[in-house]
mmCIF file with all atom_site columns, all heavy atoms in Angstrom:
data_model
loop_
_atom_site.group_PDB
_atom_site.id
_atom_site.type_symbol
_atom_site.label_atom_id
_atom_site.label_alt_id
_atom_site.label_comp_id
_atom_site.label_asym_id
_atom_site.label_entity_id
_atom_site.label_seq_id
_atom_site.pdbx_PDB_ins_code
_atom_site.Cartn_x
_atom_site.Cartn_y
_atom_site.Cartn_z
_atom_site.occupancy
_atom_site.B_iso_or_equiv
_atom_site.pdbx_formal_charge
_atom_site.auth_seq_id
_atom_site.auth_comp_id
_atom_site.auth_asym_id
_atom_site.auth_atom_id
_atom_site.pdbx_PDB_model_num
ATOM 1   N N   . PRO A 1 1  ? 25.049 -326.965 -114.546 1.00 0.00 ? 627 PRO A N   1
ATOM 2   C CA  . PRO A 1 1  ? 26.378 -327.181 -115.127 1.00 0.00 ? 627 PRO A CA  1
ATOM 3   C C   . PRO A 1 1  ? 27.178 -325.890 -115.285 1.00 0.00 ? 627 PRO A C   1
ATOM 4   O O   . PRO A 1 1  ? 26.659 -324.877 -115.744 1.00 0.00 ? 627 PRO A O   1
ATOM 5   C CB  . PRO A 1 1  ? 26.069 -327.823 -116.485 1.00 0.00 ? 627 PRO A CB  1
ATOM 6   C CG  . PRO A 1 1  ? 24.655 -327.432 -116.791 1.00 0.00 ? 627 PRO A CG  1
ATOM 7   C CD  . PRO A 1 1  ? 23.961 -327.339 -115.479 1.00 0.00 ? 627 PRO A CD  1
ATOM 8   N N   . ASN A 1 2  ? 28.454 -325.996 -114.881 1.00 0.00 ? 628 ASN A N   1
ATOM 9   C CA  . ASN A 1 2  ? 29.431 -324.915 -115.084 1.00 0.00 ? 628 ASN A CA  1
ATOM 10  C C   . ASN A 1 2  ? 29.022 -323.587 -114.451 1.00 0.00 ? 628 ASN A C   1
ATOM 11  O O   . ASN A 1 2  ? 29.469 -322.535 -114.886 1.00 0.00 ? 628 ASN A O   1
ATOM 12  C CB  . ASN A 1 2  ? 29.680 -324.705 -116.583 1.00 0.00 ? 628 ASN A CB  1
ATOM 13  C CG  . ASN A 1 2  ? 30.169 -325.959 -117.261 1.00 0.00 ? 628 ASN A CG  1
ATOM 14  O OD1 . ASN A 1 2  ? 31.038 -326.655 -116.741 1.00 0.00 ? 628 ASN A OD1 1
ATOM 15  N ND2 . ASN A 1 2  ? 29.591 -326.276 -118.404 1.00 0.00 ? 628 ASN A ND2 1
ATOM 16  N N   . ASN A 1 3  ? 28.174 -323.638 -113.431 1.00 0.00 ? 629 ASN A N   1
ATOM 17  C CA  . ASN A 1 3  ? 27.671 -322.371 -112.884 1.00 0.00 ? 629 ASN A CA  1
ATOM 18  C C   . ASN A 1 3  ? 27.456 -322.443 -111.376 1.00 0.00 ? 629 ASN A C   1
ATOM 19  O O   . ASN A 1 3  ? 26.548 -321.819 -110.850 1.00 0.00 ? 629 ASN A O   1
ATOM 20  C CB  . ASN A 1 3  ? 26.369 -321.987 -113.587 1.00 0.00 ? 629 ASN A CB  1
ATOM 21  C CG  . ASN A 1 3  ? 25.988 -320.539 -113.340 1.00 0.00 ? 629 ASN A CG  1
ATOM 22  O OD1 . ASN A 1 3  ? 26.859 -319.702 -113.129 1.00 0.00 ? 629 ASN A OD1 1
ATOM 23  N ND2 . ASN A 1 3  ? 24.702 -320.243 -113.350 1.00 0.00 ? 629 ASN A ND2 1
ATOM 24  N N   . ILE A 1 4  ? 28.282 -323.232 -110.674 1.00 0.00 ? 630 ILE A N   1
ATOM 25  C CA  . ILE A 1 4  ? 28.159 -323.376 -109.229 1.00 0.00 ? 630 ILE A CA  1
ATOM 26  C C   . ILE A 1 4  ? 29.283 -322.613 -108.541 1.00 0.00 ? 630 ILE A C   1
ATOM 27  O O   . ILE A 1 4  ? 30.452 -322.745 -108.893 1.00 0.00 ? 630 ILE A O   1
ATOM 28  C CB  . ILE A 1 4  ? 28.187 -324.858 -108.812 1.00 0.00 ? 630 ILE A CB  1
ATOM 29  C CG1 . ILE A 1 4  ? 26.902 -325.556 -109.272 1.00 0.00 ? 630 ILE A CG1 1
ATOM 30  C CG2 . ILE A 1 4  ? 28.339 -324.993 -107.299 1.00 0.00 ? 630 ILE A CG2 1
ATOM 31  C CD1 . ILE A 1 4  ? 26.867 -327.028 -108.953 1.00 0.00 ? 630 ILE A CD1 1
ATOM 32  N N   . THR A 1 5  ? 28.913 -321.824 -107.548 1.00 0.00 ? 631 THR A N   1
ATOM 33  C CA  . THR A 1 5  ? 29.899 -321.098 -106.764 1.00 0.00 ? 631 THR A CA  1
ATOM 34  C C   . THR A 1 5  ? 30.274 -321.938 -105.543 1.00 0.00 ? 631 THR A C   1
ATOM 35  O O   . THR A 1 5  ? 29.420 -322.262 -104.720 1.00 0.00 ? 631 THR A O   1
ATOM 36  C CB  . THR A 1 5  ? 29.341 -319.738 -106.296 1.00 0.00 ? 631 THR A CB  1
ATOM 37  O OG1 . THR A 1 5  ? 28.946 -318.979 -107.429 1.00 0.00 ? 631 THR A OG1 1
ATOM 38  C CG2 . THR A 1 5  ? 30.384 -318.970 -105.507 1.00 0.00 ? 631 THR A CG2 1
ATOM 39  N N   . SER A 1 6  ? 31.541 -322.305 -105.450 1.00 0.00 ? 632 SER A N   1
ATOM 40  C CA  . SER A 1 6  ? 32.001 -323.163 -104.366 1.00 0.00 ? 632 SER A CA  1
ATOM 41  C C   . SER A 1 6  ? 32.849 -322.400 -103.367 1.00 0.00 ? 632 SER A C   1
ATOM 42  O O   . SER A 1 6  ? 33.639 -321.532 -103.747 1.00 0.00 ? 632 SER A O   1
ATOM 43  C CB  . SER A 1 6  ? 32.819 -324.333 -104.927 1.00 0.00 ? 632 SER A CB  1
ATOM 44  O OG  . SER A 1 6  ? 32.019 -325.213 -105.673 1.00 0.00 ? 632 SER A OG  1
ATOM 45  N N   . TYR A 1 7  ? 32.680 -322.740 -102.097 1.00 0.00 ? 633 TYR A N   1
ATOM 46  C CA  . TYR A 1 7  ? 33.567 -322.245 -101.042 1.00 0.00 ? 633 TYR A CA  1
ATOM 47  C C   . TYR A 1 7  ? 34.507 -323.390 -100.692 1.00 0.00 ? 633 TYR A C   1
ATOM 48  O O   . TYR A 1 7  ? 34.065 -324.475 -100.293 1.00 0.00 ? 633 TYR A O   1
ATOM 49  C CB  . TYR A 1 7  ? 32.780 -321.825 -99.811  1.00 0.00 ? 633 TYR A CB  1
ATOM 50  C CG  . TYR A 1 7  ? 33.652 -321.279 -98.707  1.00 0.00 ? 633 TYR A CG  1
ATOM 51  C CD1 . TYR A 1 7  ? 33.934 -319.919 -98.636  1.00 0.00 ? 633 TYR A CD1 1
ATOM 52  C CD2 . TYR A 1 7  ? 34.224 -322.126 -97.751  1.00 0.00 ? 633 TYR A CD2 1
ATOM 53  C CE1 . TYR A 1 7  ? 34.752 -319.407 -97.636  1.00 0.00 ? 633 TYR A CE1 1
ATOM 54  C CE2 . TYR A 1 7  ? 35.037 -321.618 -96.751  1.00 0.00 ? 633 TYR A CE2 1
ATOM 55  C CZ  . TYR A 1 7  ? 35.300 -320.263 -96.707  1.00 0.00 ? 633 TYR A CZ  1
ATOM 56  O OH  . TYR A 1 7  ? 36.115 -319.770 -95.721  1.00 0.00 ? 633 TYR A OH  1
ATOM 57  N N   . LYS A 1 8  ? 35.794 -323.155 -100.839 1.00 0.00 ? 634 LYS A N   1
ATOM 58  C CA  . LYS A 1 8  ? 36.774 -324.219 -100.676 1.00 0.00 ? 634 LYS A CA  1
ATOM 59  C C   . LYS A 1 8  ? 37.409 -324.174 -99.289  1.00 0.00 ? 634 LYS A C   1
ATOM 60  O O   . LYS A 1 8  ? 38.093 -323.214 -98.946  1.00 0.00 ? 634 LYS A O   1
ATOM 61  C CB  . LYS A 1 8  ? 37.844 -324.103 -101.760 1.00 0.00 ? 634 LYS A CB  1
ATOM 62  C CG  . LYS A 1 8  ? 37.267 -324.248 -103.165 1.00 0.00 ? 634 LYS A CG  1
ATOM 63  C CD  . LYS A 1 8  ? 38.330 -324.093 -104.234 1.00 0.00 ? 634 LYS A CD  1
ATOM 64  C CE  . LYS A 1 8  ? 37.708 -324.234 -105.617 1.00 0.00 ? 634 LYS A CE  1
ATOM 65  N NZ  . LYS A 1 8  ? 38.732 -324.092 -106.696 1.00 0.00 ? 634 LYS A NZ  1
ATOM 66  N N   . LEU A 1 9  ? 37.181 -325.221 -98.524  1.00 0.00 ? 635 LEU A N   1
ATOM 67  C CA  . LEU A 1 9  ? 37.764 -325.358 -97.188  1.00 0.00 ? 635 LEU A CA  1
ATOM 68  C C   . LEU A 1 9  ? 39.159 -325.972 -97.351  1.00 0.00 ? 635 LEU A C   1
ATOM 69  O O   . LEU A 1 9  ? 39.403 -327.132 -97.015  1.00 0.00 ? 635 LEU A O   1
ATOM 70  C CB  . LEU A 1 9  ? 36.873 -326.226 -96.304  1.00 0.00 ? 635 LEU A CB  1
ATOM 71  C CG  . LEU A 1 9  ? 37.209 -326.281 -94.817  1.00 0.00 ? 635 LEU A CG  1
ATOM 72  C CD1 . LEU A 1 9  ? 36.981 -324.936 -94.158  1.00 0.00 ? 635 LEU A CD1 1
ATOM 73  C CD2 . LEU A 1 9  ? 36.383 -327.354 -94.125  1.00 0.00 ? 635 LEU A CD2 1
ATOM 74  N N   . ASP A 1 10 ? 40.070 -325.188 -97.884  1.00 0.00 ? 636 ASP A N   1
ATOM 75  C CA  . ASP A 1 10 ? 41.385 -325.694 -98.265  1.00 0.00 ? 636 ASP A CA  1
ATOM 76  C C   . ASP A 1 10 ? 42.196 -326.216 -97.090  1.00 0.00 ? 636 ASP A C   1
ATOM 77  O O   . ASP A 1 10 ? 43.118 -327.013 -97.272  1.00 0.00 ? 636 ASP A O   1
ATOM 78  C CB  . ASP A 1 10 ? 42.183 -324.596 -98.980  1.00 0.00 ? 636 ASP A CB  1
ATOM 79  C CG  . ASP A 1 10 ? 41.615 -324.271 -100.354 1.00 0.00 ? 636 ASP A CG  1
ATOM 80  O OD1 . ASP A 1 10 ? 40.992 -325.164 -100.960 1.00 0.00 ? 636 ASP A OD1 1
ATOM 81  O OD2 . ASP A 1 10 ? 41.784 -323.129 -100.810 1.00 0.00 ? 636 ASP A OD2 1
ATOM 82  N N   . CYS A 1 11 ? 41.871 -325.784 -95.885  1.00 0.00 ? 637 CYS A N   1
ATOM 83  C CA  . CYS A 1 11 ? 42.669 -326.180 -94.726  1.00 0.00 ? 637 CYS A CA  1
ATOM 84  C C   . CYS A 1 11 ? 42.400 -327.614 -94.272  1.00 0.00 ? 637 CYS A C   1
ATOM 85  O O   . CYS A 1 11 ? 43.163 -328.150 -93.455  1.00 0.00 ? 637 CYS A O   1
ATOM 86  C CB  . CYS A 1 11 ? 42.389 -325.237 -93.558  1.00 0.00 ? 637 CYS A CB  1
ATOM 87  S SG  . CYS A 1 11 ? 40.686 -325.327 -92.936  1.00 0.00 ? 637 CYS A SG  1
ATOM 88  N N   . LEU A 1 12 ? 41.357 -328.270 -94.777  1.00 0.00 ? 638 LEU A N   1
ATOM 89  C CA  . LEU A 1 12 ? 40.928 -329.552 -94.219  1.00 0.00 ? 638 LEU A CA  1
ATOM 90  C C   . LEU A 1 12 ? 42.038 -330.585 -94.209  1.00 0.00 ? 638 LEU A C   1
ATOM 91  O O   . LEU A 1 12 ? 42.214 -331.307 -93.230  1.00 0.00 ? 638 LEU A O   1
ATOM 92  C CB  . LEU A 1 12 ? 39.731 -330.088 -94.998  1.00 0.00 ? 638 LEU A CB  1
ATOM 93  C CG  . LEU A 1 12 ? 39.156 -331.428 -94.530  1.00 0.00 ? 638 LEU A CG  1
ATOM 94  C CD1 . LEU A 1 12 ? 38.728 -331.348 -93.072  1.00 0.00 ? 638 LEU A CD1 1
ATOM 95  C CD2 . LEU A 1 12 ? 37.987 -331.857 -95.395  1.00 0.00 ? 638 LEU A CD2 1
ATOM 96  N N   . TYR A 1 13 ? 42.793 -330.699 -95.281  1.00 0.00 ? 639 TYR A N   1
ATOM 97  C CA  . TYR A 1 13 ? 43.868 -331.687 -95.333  1.00 0.00 ? 639 TYR A CA  1
ATOM 98  C C   . TYR A 1 13 ? 45.240 -331.035 -95.368  1.00 0.00 ? 639 TYR A C   1
ATOM 99  O O   . TYR A 1 13 ? 46.197 -331.589 -95.885  1.00 0.00 ? 639 TYR A O   1
ATOM 100 C CB  . TYR A 1 13 ? 43.690 -332.616 -96.537  1.00 0.00 ? 639 TYR A CB  1
ATOM 101 C CG  . TYR A 1 13 ? 42.473 -333.490 -96.412  1.00 0.00 ? 639 TYR A CG  1
ATOM 102 C CD1 . TYR A 1 13 ? 41.553 -333.582 -97.446  1.00 0.00 ? 639 TYR A CD1 1
ATOM 103 C CD2 . TYR A 1 13 ? 42.230 -334.194 -95.241  1.00 0.00 ? 639 TYR A CD2 1
ATOM 104 C CE1 . TYR A 1 13 ? 40.428 -334.371 -97.317  1.00 0.00 ? 639 TYR A CE1 1
ATOM 105 C CE2 . TYR A 1 13 ? 41.108 -334.972 -95.104  1.00 0.00 ? 639 TYR A CE2 1
ATOM 106 C CZ  . TYR A 1 13 ? 40.213 -335.070 -96.151  1.00 0.00 ? 639 TYR A CZ  1
ATOM 107 O OH  . TYR A 1 13 ? 39.100 -335.851 -96.019  1.00 0.00 ? 639 TYR A OH  1
ATOM 108 N N   . GLY A 1 14 ? 45.359 -329.822 -94.839  1.00 0.00 ? 640 GLY A N   1
ATOM 109 C CA  . GLY A 1 14 ? 46.659 -329.169 -94.785  1.00 0.00 ? 640 GLY A CA  1
ATOM 110 C C   . GLY A 1 14 ? 47.564 -329.864 -93.791  1.00 0.00 ? 640 GLY A C   1
ATOM 111 O O   . GLY A 1 14 ? 47.160 -330.222 -92.691  1.00 0.00 ? 640 GLY A O   1
ATOM 112 N N   . ARG A 1 15 ? 48.796 -330.078 -94.155  1.00 0.00 ? 641 ARG A N   1
ATOM 113 C CA  . ARG A 1 15 ? 49.741 -330.731 -93.257  1.00 0.00 ? 641 ARG A CA  1
ATOM 114 C C   . ARG A 1 15 ? 49.972 -329.872 -92.002  1.00 0.00 ? 641 ARG A C   1
ATOM 115 O O   . ARG A 1 15 ? 50.110 -328.673 -92.077  1.00 0.00 ? 641 ARG A O   1
ATOM 116 C CB  . ARG A 1 15 ? 51.060 -330.980 -93.972  1.00 0.00 ? 641 ARG A CB  1
ATOM 117 C CG  . ARG A 1 15 ? 50.970 -332.042 -95.044  1.00 0.00 ? 641 ARG A CG  1
ATOM 118 C CD  . ARG A 1 15 ? 52.333 -332.381 -95.610  1.00 0.00 ? 641 ARG A CD  1
ATOM 119 N NE  . ARG A 1 15 ? 52.245 -333.422 -96.625  1.00 0.00 ? 641 ARG A NE  1
ATOM 120 C CZ  . ARG A 1 15 ? 52.181 -334.713 -96.360  1.00 0.00 ? 641 ARG A CZ  1
ATOM 121 N NH1 . ARG A 1 15 ? 52.199 -335.117 -95.111  1.00 0.00 ? 641 ARG A NH1 1
ATOM 122 N NH2 . ARG A 1 15 ? 52.099 -335.604 -97.332  1.00 0.00 ? 641 ARG A NH2 1
ATOM 123 N N   . GLY A 1 16 ? 49.999 -330.549 -90.871  1.00 0.00 ? 642 GLY A N   1
ATOM 124 C CA  . GLY A 1 16 ? 50.256 -329.858 -89.619  1.00 0.00 ? 642 GLY A CA  1
ATOM 125 C C   . GLY A 1 16 ? 49.029 -329.208 -89.011  1.00 0.00 ? 642 GLY A C   1
ATOM 126 O O   . GLY A 1 16 ? 49.103 -328.637 -87.948  1.00 0.00 ? 642 GLY A O   1
ATOM 127 N N   . ALA A 1 17 ? 47.870 -329.324 -89.673  1.00 0.00 ? 643 ALA A N   1
ATOM 128 C CA  . ALA A 1 17 ? 46.654 -328.668 -89.164  1.00 0.00 ? 643 ALA A CA  1
ATOM 129 C C   . ALA A 1 17 ? 45.994 -329.553 -88.123  1.00 0.00 ? 643 ALA A C   1
ATOM 130 O O   . ALA A 1 17 ? 44.912 -330.076 -88.320  1.00 0.00 ? 643 ALA A O   1
ATOM 131 C CB  . ALA A 1 17 ? 45.705 -328.372 -90.311  1.00 0.00 ? 643 ALA A CB  1
ATOM 132 N N   . ARG A 1 18 ? 46.675 -329.770 -87.009  1.00 0.00 ? 644 ARG A N   1
ATOM 133 C CA  . ARG A 1 18 ? 46.120 -330.640 -85.970  1.00 0.00 ? 644 ARG A CA  1
ATOM 134 C C   . ARG A 1 18 ? 45.137 -329.881 -85.103  1.00 0.00 ? 644 ARG A C   1
ATOM 135 O O   . ARG A 1 18 ? 45.162 -328.677 -85.010  1.00 0.00 ? 644 ARG A O   1
ATOM 136 C CB  . ARG A 1 18 ? 47.240 -331.219 -85.113  1.00 0.00 ? 644 ARG A CB  1
ATOM 137 C CG  . ARG A 1 18 ? 48.118 -332.203 -85.884  1.00 0.00 ? 644 ARG A CG  1
ATOM 138 C CD  . ARG A 1 18 ? 49.058 -332.926 -84.953  1.00 0.00 ? 644 ARG A CD  1
ATOM 139 N NE  . ARG A 1 18 ? 49.914 -333.840 -85.693  1.00 0.00 ? 644 ARG A NE  1
ATOM 140 C CZ  . ARG A 1 18 ? 49.578 -335.067 -86.041  1.00 0.00 ? 644 ARG A CZ  1
ATOM 141 N NH1 . ARG A 1 18 ? 48.386 -335.522 -85.717  1.00 0.00 ? 644 ARG A NH1 1
ATOM 142 N NH2 . ARG A 1 18 ? 50.400 -335.840 -86.695  1.00 0.00 ? 644 ARG A NH2 1
ATOM 143 N N   . GLY A 1 19 ? 44.271 -330.592 -84.468  1.00 0.00 ? 645 GLY A N   1
ATOM 144 C CA  . GLY A 1 19 ? 43.298 -329.939 -83.609  1.00 0.00 ? 645 GLY A CA  1
ATOM 145 C C   . GLY A 1 19 ? 41.951 -330.615 -83.775  1.00 0.00 ? 645 GLY A C   1
ATOM 146 O O   . GLY A 1 19 ? 41.871 -331.805 -83.934  1.00 0.00 ? 645 GLY A O   1
ATOM 147 N N   . PRO A 1 20 ? 40.867 -329.845 -83.850  1.00 0.00 ? 646 PRO A N   1
ATOM 148 C CA  . PRO A 1 20 ? 40.936 -328.388 -83.779  1.00 0.00 ? 646 PRO A CA  1
ATOM 149 C C   . PRO A 1 20 ? 40.803 -327.881 -82.347  1.00 0.00 ? 646 PRO A C   1
ATOM 150 O O   . PRO A 1 20 ? 40.366 -328.597 -81.469  1.00 0.00 ? 646 PRO A O   1
ATOM 151 C CB  . PRO A 1 20 ? 39.720 -327.968 -84.601  1.00 0.00 ? 646 PRO A CB  1
ATOM 152 C CG  . PRO A 1 20 ? 38.742 -329.075 -84.357  1.00 0.00 ? 646 PRO A CG  1
ATOM 153 C CD  . PRO A 1 20 ? 39.554 -330.341 -84.219  1.00 0.00 ? 646 PRO A CD  1
ATOM 154 N N   . THR A 1 21 ? 41.195 -326.646 -82.123  1.00 0.00 ? 647 THR A N   1
ATOM 155 C CA  . THR A 1 21 ? 40.891 -325.958 -80.874  1.00 0.00 ? 647 THR A CA  1
ATOM 156 C C   . THR A 1 21 ? 40.092 -324.725 -81.252  1.00 0.00 ? 647 THR A C   1
ATOM 157 O O   . THR A 1 21 ? 40.032 -324.350 -82.413  1.00 0.00 ? 647 THR A O   1
ATOM 158 C CB  . THR A 1 21 ? 42.169 -325.534 -80.142  1.00 0.00 ? 647 THR A CB  1
ATOM 159 O OG1 . THR A 1 21 ? 42.879 -324.612 -80.973  1.00 0.00 ? 647 THR A OG1 1
ATOM 160 C CG2 . THR A 1 21 ? 43.051 -326.733 -79.834  1.00 0.00 ? 647 THR A CG2 1
ATOM 161 N N   . CYS A 1 22 ? 39.483 -324.124 -80.295  1.00 0.00 ? 648 CYS A N   1
ATOM 162 C CA  . CYS A 1 22 ? 38.638 -322.968 -80.608  1.00 0.00 ? 648 CYS A CA  1
ATOM 163 C C   . CYS A 1 22 ? 39.359 -321.637 -80.424  1.00 0.00 ? 648 CYS A C   1
ATOM 164 O O   . CYS A 1 22 ? 38.754 -320.590 -80.498  1.00 0.00 ? 648 CYS A O   1
ATOM 165 C CB  . CYS A 1 22 ? 37.365 -323.010 -79.764  1.00 0.00 ? 648 CYS A CB  1
ATOM 166 S SG  . CYS A 1 22 ? 36.219 -324.285 -80.322  1.00 0.00 ? 648 CYS A SG  1
ATOM 167 N N   . SER A 1 23 ? 40.639 -321.687 -80.157  1.00 0.00 ? 649 SER A N   1
ATOM 168 C CA  . SER A 1 23 ? 41.422 -320.451 -80.094  1.00 0.00 ? 649 SER A CA  1
ATOM 169 C C   . SER A 1 23 ? 42.681 -320.663 -80.926  1.00 0.00 ? 649 SER A C   1
ATOM 170 O O   . SER A 1 23 ? 43.412 -321.622 -80.723  1.00 0.00 ? 649 SER A O   1
ATOM 171 C CB  . SER A 1 23 ? 41.778 -320.101 -78.651  1.00 0.00 ? 649 SER A CB  1
ATOM 172 O OG  . SER A 1 23 ? 42.531 -321.128 -78.057  1.00 0.00 ? 649 SER A OG  1
ATOM 173 N N   . GLY A 1 24 ? 42.895 -319.765 -81.867  1.00 0.00 ? 650 GLY A N   1
ATOM 174 C CA  . GLY A 1 24 ? 44.044 -319.890 -82.752  1.00 0.00 ? 650 GLY A CA  1
ATOM 175 C C   . GLY A 1 24 ? 43.975 -321.120 -83.632  1.00 0.00 ? 650 GLY A C   1
ATOM 176 O O   . GLY A 1 24 ? 44.999 -321.699 -83.991  1.00 0.00 ? 650 GLY A O   1
ATOM 177 N N   . VAL A 1 25 ? 42.769 -321.537 -83.983  1.00 0.00 ? 651 VAL A N   1
ATOM 178 C CA  . VAL A 1 25 ? 42.604 -322.759 -84.749  1.00 0.00 ? 651 VAL A CA  1
ATOM 179 C C   . VAL A 1 25 ? 43.103 -322.578 -86.181  1.00 0.00 ? 651 VAL A C   1
ATOM 180 O O   . VAL A 1 25 ? 42.880 -321.553 -86.814  1.00 0.00 ? 651 VAL A O   1
ATOM 181 C CB  . VAL A 1 25 ? 41.120 -323.196 -84.760  1.00 0.00 ? 651 VAL A CB  1
ATOM 182 C CG1 . VAL A 1 25 ? 40.235 -322.188 -85.468  1.00 0.00 ? 651 VAL A CG1 1
ATOM 183 C CG2 . VAL A 1 25 ? 40.963 -324.581 -85.366  1.00 0.00 ? 651 VAL A CG2 1
ATOM 184 N N   . ARG A 1 26 ? 43.835 -323.570 -86.673  1.00 0.00 ? 652 ARG A N   1
ATOM 185 C CA  . ARG A 1 26 ? 44.282 -323.533 -88.063  1.00 0.00 ? 652 ARG A CA  1
ATOM 186 C C   . ARG A 1 26 ? 43.162 -323.949 -89.002  1.00 0.00 ? 652 ARG A C   1
ATOM 187 O O   . ARG A 1 26 ? 43.030 -323.429 -90.095  1.00 0.00 ? 652 ARG A O   1
ATOM 188 C CB  . ARG A 1 26 ? 45.472 -324.470 -88.257  1.00 0.00 ? 652 ARG A CB  1
ATOM 189 C CG  . ARG A 1 26 ? 46.739 -324.032 -87.513  1.00 0.00 ? 652 ARG A CG  1
ATOM 190 C CD  . ARG A 1 26 ? 47.877 -324.962 -87.856  1.00 0.00 ? 652 ARG A CD  1
ATOM 191 N NE  . ARG A 1 26 ? 49.095 -324.592 -87.142  1.00 0.00 ? 652 ARG A NE  1
ATOM 192 C CZ  . ARG A 1 26 ? 50.248 -325.232 -87.297  1.00 0.00 ? 652 ARG A CZ  1
ATOM 193 N NH1 . ARG A 1 26 ? 50.322 -326.263 -88.131  1.00 0.00 ? 652 ARG A NH1 1
ATOM 194 N NH2 . ARG A 1 26 ? 51.308 -324.860 -86.617  1.00 0.00 ? 652 ARG A NH2 1
ATOM 195 N N   . CYS A 1 27 ? 42.401 -324.932 -88.584  1.00 0.00 ? 653 CYS A N   1
ATOM 196 C CA  . CYS A 1 27 ? 41.256 -325.379 -89.388  1.00 0.00 ? 653 CYS A CA  1
ATOM 197 C C   . CYS A 1 27 ? 40.156 -325.827 -88.437  1.00 0.00 ? 653 CYS A C   1
ATOM 198 O O   . CYS A 1 27 ? 40.431 -326.556 -87.472  1.00 0.00 ? 653 CYS A O   1
ATOM 199 C CB  . CYS A 1 27 ? 41.658 -326.528 -90.313  1.00 0.00 ? 653 CYS A CB  1
ATOM 200 S SG  . CYS A 1 27 ? 40.423 -326.898 -91.584  1.00 0.00 ? 653 CYS A SG  1
ATOM 201 N N   . PRO A 1 28 ? 38.916 -325.413 -88.649  1.00 0.00 ? 654 PRO A N   1
ATOM 202 C CA  . PRO A 1 28 ? 37.842 -325.760 -87.716  1.00 0.00 ? 654 PRO A CA  1
ATOM 203 C C   . PRO A 1 28 ? 37.337 -327.184 -87.855  1.00 0.00 ? 654 PRO A C   1
ATOM 204 O O   . PRO A 1 28 ? 36.491 -327.615 -87.089  1.00 0.00 ? 654 PRO A O   1
ATOM 205 C CB  . PRO A 1 28 ? 36.742 -324.763 -88.069  1.00 0.00 ? 654 PRO A CB  1
ATOM 206 C CG  . PRO A 1 28 ? 36.960 -324.487 -89.517  1.00 0.00 ? 654 PRO A CG  1
ATOM 207 C CD  . PRO A 1 28 ? 38.448 -324.497 -89.701  1.00 0.00 ? 654 PRO A CD  1
ATOM 208 N N   . VAL A 1 29 ? 37.842 -327.927 -88.854  1.00 0.00 ? 655 VAL A N   1
ATOM 209 C CA  . VAL A 1 29 ? 37.381 -329.291 -89.080  1.00 0.00 ? 655 VAL A CA  1
ATOM 210 C C   . VAL A 1 29 ? 38.588 -330.207 -89.276  1.00 0.00 ? 655 VAL A C   1
ATOM 211 O O   . VAL A 1 29 ? 39.498 -329.894 -90.045  1.00 0.00 ? 655 VAL A O   1
ATOM 212 C CB  . VAL A 1 29 ? 36.480 -329.386 -90.328  1.00 0.00 ? 655 VAL A CB  1
ATOM 213 C CG1 . VAL A 1 29 ? 35.997 -330.826 -90.530  1.00 0.00 ? 655 VAL A CG1 1
ATOM 214 C CG2 . VAL A 1 29 ? 35.291 -328.456 -90.204  1.00 0.00 ? 655 VAL A CG2 1
ATOM 215 N N   . ILE A 1 30 ? 38.604 -331.325 -88.563  1.00 0.00 ? 656 ILE A N   1
ATOM 216 C CA  . ILE A 1 30 ? 39.651 -332.325 -88.714  1.00 0.00 ? 656 ILE A CA  1
ATOM 217 C C   . ILE A 1 30 ? 38.994 -333.687 -88.914  1.00 0.00 ? 656 ILE A C   1
ATOM 218 O O   . ILE A 1 30 ? 38.046 -334.042 -88.224  1.00 0.00 ? 656 ILE A O   1
ATOM 219 C CB  . ILE A 1 30 ? 40.563 -332.378 -87.466  1.00 0.00 ? 656 ILE A CB  1
ATOM 220 C CG1 . ILE A 1 30 ? 41.321 -331.063 -87.307  1.00 0.00 ? 656 ILE A CG1 1
ATOM 221 C CG2 . ILE A 1 30 ? 41.552 -333.542 -87.573  1.00 0.00 ? 656 ILE A CG2 1
ATOM 222 C CD1 . ILE A 1 30 ? 42.318 -330.763 -88.395  1.00 0.00 ? 656 ILE A CD1 1
ATOM 223 N N   . HIS A 1 31 ? 39.497 -334.444 -89.860  1.00 0.00 ? 657 HIS A N   1
ATOM 224 C CA  . HIS A 1 31 ? 38.992 -335.789 -90.120  1.00 0.00 ? 657 HIS A CA  1
ATOM 225 C C   . HIS A 1 31 ? 39.998 -336.798 -89.583  1.00 0.00 ? 657 HIS A C   1
ATOM 226 O O   . HIS A 1 31 ? 41.131 -336.879 -90.044  1.00 0.00 ? 657 HIS A O   1
ATOM 227 C CB  . HIS A 1 31 ? 38.803 -336.000 -91.631  1.00 0.00 ? 657 HIS A CB  1
ATOM 228 C CG  . HIS A 1 31 ? 38.225 -337.333 -91.974  1.00 0.00 ? 657 HIS A CG  1
ATOM 229 N ND1 . HIS A 1 31 ? 38.569 -338.031 -93.100  1.00 0.00 ? 657 HIS A ND1 1
ATOM 230 C CD2 . HIS A 1 31 ? 37.305 -338.092 -91.344  1.00 0.00 ? 657 HIS A CD2 1
ATOM 231 C CE1 . HIS A 1 31 ? 37.900 -339.161 -93.163  1.00 0.00 ? 657 HIS A CE1 1
ATOM 232 N NE2 . HIS A 1 31 ? 37.123 -339.219 -92.099  1.00 0.00 ? 657 HIS A NE2 1
ATOM 233 N N   . TRP A 1 32 ? 39.558 -337.613 -88.620  1.00 0.00 ? 658 TRP A N   1
ATOM 234 C CA  . TRP A 1 32 ? 40.421 -338.630 -88.038  1.00 0.00 ? 658 TRP A CA  1
ATOM 235 C C   . TRP A 1 32 ? 40.183 -339.941 -88.788  1.00 0.00 ? 658 TRP A C   1
ATOM 236 O O   . TRP A 1 32 ? 39.241 -340.673 -88.508  1.00 0.00 ? 658 TRP A O   1
ATOM 237 C CB  . TRP A 1 32 ? 40.120 -338.784 -86.553  1.00 0.00 ? 658 TRP A CB  1
ATOM 238 C CG  . TRP A 1 32 ? 40.336 -337.525 -85.799  1.00 0.00 ? 658 TRP A CG  1
ATOM 239 C CD1 . TRP A 1 32 ? 39.388 -336.593 -85.477  1.00 0.00 ? 658 TRP A CD1 1
ATOM 240 C CD2 . TRP A 1 32 ? 41.573 -337.024 -85.304  1.00 0.00 ? 658 TRP A CD2 1
ATOM 241 N NE1 . TRP A 1 32 ? 39.951 -335.549 -84.809  1.00 0.00 ? 658 TRP A NE1 1
ATOM 242 C CE2 . TRP A 1 32 ? 41.293 -335.780 -84.690  1.00 0.00 ? 658 TRP A CE2 1
ATOM 243 C CE3 . TRP A 1 32 ? 42.883 -337.493 -85.332  1.00 0.00 ? 658 TRP A CE3 1
ATOM 244 C CZ2 . TRP A 1 32 ? 42.284 -335.011 -84.089  1.00 0.00 ? 658 TRP A CZ2 1
ATOM 245 C CZ3 . TRP A 1 32 ? 43.869 -336.732 -84.737  1.00 0.00 ? 658 TRP A CZ3 1
ATOM 246 C CH2 . TRP A 1 32 ? 43.570 -335.517 -84.123  1.00 0.00 ? 658 TRP A CH2 1
#
């Protein structure tokens, strides 16, 4: 409790983050 270090993949639902591609990618993960 209250002691977990999280890495936030904030780009996952960012608007306009279409793709992904492996060059110049905005976000490496896209959920369709």
